[in-house]
């Protein structure tokens, strides 16, 4: 349910929505009778404002996503050794989304958008197993960031188009993020900024073909070395005094350096 207001170049809105998501099949087959999952519930509250004219546009959107029984990985294993997705009572995502665009001339525009957010699980409990499969111990981690949820995302694009020629230089920044729900620096991905360059030319009707477009894209044009995905885990062994000694490990998905893709598109 929501309300919207429009007046000339101004637009404002506010909304509230609810959604439920049933567990998927793997949540049951990887589980055991003591850990059957419940459906997730989400209450989403949003409000926004935007202004647009022929020269520029700006917009802001506020959101709060309140989860009940969100399914997350806690480190717990089933009786067959499969990782369990467990319902956590309370978690949320909240933030502000900003966007803007400037079109000073017909053949050029600059667009930007960014998201500042806070994504948290309340009162998260981590489980760690001896030799990664037996005798679990647990730790109360308090409020922790949700895995793979960066606090800051930024995108920008410079777009050019003259006659049949078009080009754009894009950039995206993703801040530091954690690969588990434990707020542990040993299981995190560093922030990164990557740029791509796109260019192409569209020819008019040629030999019965309505249009022919030749394009080329240089991805990661500045040859940035970065990782945007990975995995992490933990285990423990008993020390000389019988106390658990925890160890953690992580693997990282390194991304390609500068690389090129060419395209040919025909319209009939």
């Amino acid at each position: 349910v929501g309300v919207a207001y429009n007046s000339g170049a101004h637009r404002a809105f506010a909304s509230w929505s609810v959604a439920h998501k049933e567990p998927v099949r793997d949540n049951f087959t990887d589980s055991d009778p003591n850990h059957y999952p419940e459906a997730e519930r989400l209450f989403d509250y949003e409000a926004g404002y935007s202004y647009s004219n022929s020269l520029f546009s700006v917009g802001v959107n506020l959101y709060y996503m309140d989860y009940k029984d969100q399914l997350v990985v806690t480190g717990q294993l089933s009786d067959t050794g499969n990782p369990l997705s467990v319902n956590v009572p309370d978690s949320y995502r909240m933030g502000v989304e900003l966007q803007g665009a400037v079109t000073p001339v017909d053949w050029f525009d600059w667009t930007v958008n960014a998201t500042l957010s806070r994504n948290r699980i309340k009162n998260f409990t981590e489980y760690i197993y001896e030799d990664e499969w037996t005798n679990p111990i647990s730790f109360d981690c308090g409020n922790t960031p949700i895995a793979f949820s960066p606090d800051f995302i930024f995108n920008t694009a410079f777009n050019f188009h003259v006659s049949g020629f078009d080009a754009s230089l894009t950039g995206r920044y993703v801040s530091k993020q954690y690969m588990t729900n434990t707020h542990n620096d040993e299981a995190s991905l560093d922030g990164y900024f990557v740029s791509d360059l796109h260019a192409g030319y569209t020819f008019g009707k040629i030999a019965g073909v309505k249009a022919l477009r030749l394009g080329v894209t240089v991805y990661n044009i500045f040859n940035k070395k970065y990782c945007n995905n990975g995995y992490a885990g933990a285990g423990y062994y008993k020390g000389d005094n019988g106390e658990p000694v925890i160890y953690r490990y992580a693997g990282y998905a390194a991304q390609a350096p500068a690389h090129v893709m060419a395209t040919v598109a025909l319209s009939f």
Side-chain angles (χ1 to χ4, degrees), residues 10 19 33 38-39 43 52 54 58-59 64 86 108 122 126 134 159 169 192 195 200 212 231 235 250 257:
H10 303 272
E38 301 291 336
F43 288 149
S52 178
S54 60
V58 292
Y64 182 81
V86 179
F108 169 74
K122 297 181 180 180
E126 178 190 22
T134 188
N159 304 303
L169 176 64
Y192 59 87
S195 297
L212 167 65
Y231 64 90

Side-chain angles (χ1 to χ4, degrees), residues 4-266:
Y5 171 78
N6 294 277
S7 177
H10 303 272
R11 181 180 183 273
F13 79 94
S15 68
W16 173 81
S17 59
V18 60
H20 293 80
K21 181 178 182 293
E22 294 296 324
V24 298
R25 183 177 183 276
D26 287 349
N27 295 139
F28 290 99
T29 57
D30 290 345
S31 184
D32 60 58
N34 296 319
H35 293 91
Y36 279 151
E38 301 291 336
E40 301 172 289
R41 187 199 69 193
L42 166 66
F43 288 149
D44 181 35
Y45 308 85
E46 298 202 25
Y49 167 79
S50 63
Y51 175 86
S52 178
N53 61 28
S54 60
L55 178 60
F56 71 93
S57 64
V58 292
V60 58
N61 185 57
L62 305 174
Y63 67 91
Y64 182 81
M65 304 170 68
D66 183 19
Y67 292 90
K68 178 69 174 178
D69 291 330
Q70 185 179 17
L71 285 165
V72 303
V73 177
T74 63
Q76 289 174 270
L77 301 177
S78 71
D79 51 6
T80 57
N82 292 311
L84 292 176
S85 292
V86 179
N87 295 111
V88 293
D90 296 299
S91 57
Y92 66 89
R93 299 179 186 272
M94 62 181 297
V96 54
E97 300 170 324
L98 304 170
Q99 59 182 342
V102 178
T103 309
V105 291
D106 292 341
W107 51 268
F108 169 74
D109 66 85
W110 174 38
T111 63
V112 295
N113 64 73
T115 300
L116 295 165
S117 64
R118 181 177 175 86
N119 314 284
R120 294 293 185 269
I121 299 172
K122 297 181 180 180
N123 303 315
F124 178 76
T125 300
E126 178 190 22
Y127 292 83
I128 299 178
Y129 288 73
E130 183 178 9
D131 296 326
E132 301 177 49
W133 67 277
T134 188
N135 300 328
I137 56 177
S138 62
F139 298 91
D140 184 1
C141 301
N143 295 348
T144 61
I146 299 175
F148 296 101
S149 300
D151 291 340
F152 182 54
I153 299 174
F154 174 80
N155 295 280
T156 184
F158 299 92
N159 304 303
F160 304 84
H161 43 88
V162 179
S163 298
F165 174 78
D166 64 270
S168 62
L169 176 64
T170 64
R172 61 187 181 279
Y173 174 77
V174 179
S175 67
K176 178 181 178 178
Q177 53 189 309
Y178 297 92
M179 294 187 289
T180 67
N181 296 305
T182 60
H183 199 186
N184 194 293
D185 287 334
E186 297 176 54
S188 65
L189 297 169
D190 292 335
Y192 59 87
F193 183 85
V194 180
S195 297
D196 302 326
L197 177 64
H198 314 268
Y201 190 88
T202 302
F203 298 88
K205 188 173 182 181
I206 300 177
V209 176
K210 185 177 179 180
L212 167 65
R213 185 181 186 278
L214 303 179
V216 62
T217 300
V218 184
Y219 294 101
N220 194 5
I221 189 172
F222 299 117
N223 210 37
K224 174 69 176 180
K225 295 181 179 179
Y226 71 103
C227 298
N228 69 351
N229 209 334
Y231 64 90
Y236 78 89
Y237 60 90
K238 292 182 179 179
D240 295 337
N241 58 359
E243 294 296 319
V245 178
I246 297 173
Y247 59 89
R248 298 182 183 273
Y249 58 88
Y252 300 91
Q255 297 304 294
H259 55 290
V260 180
M261 182 177 71
T263 59
V264 177
L266 302 174

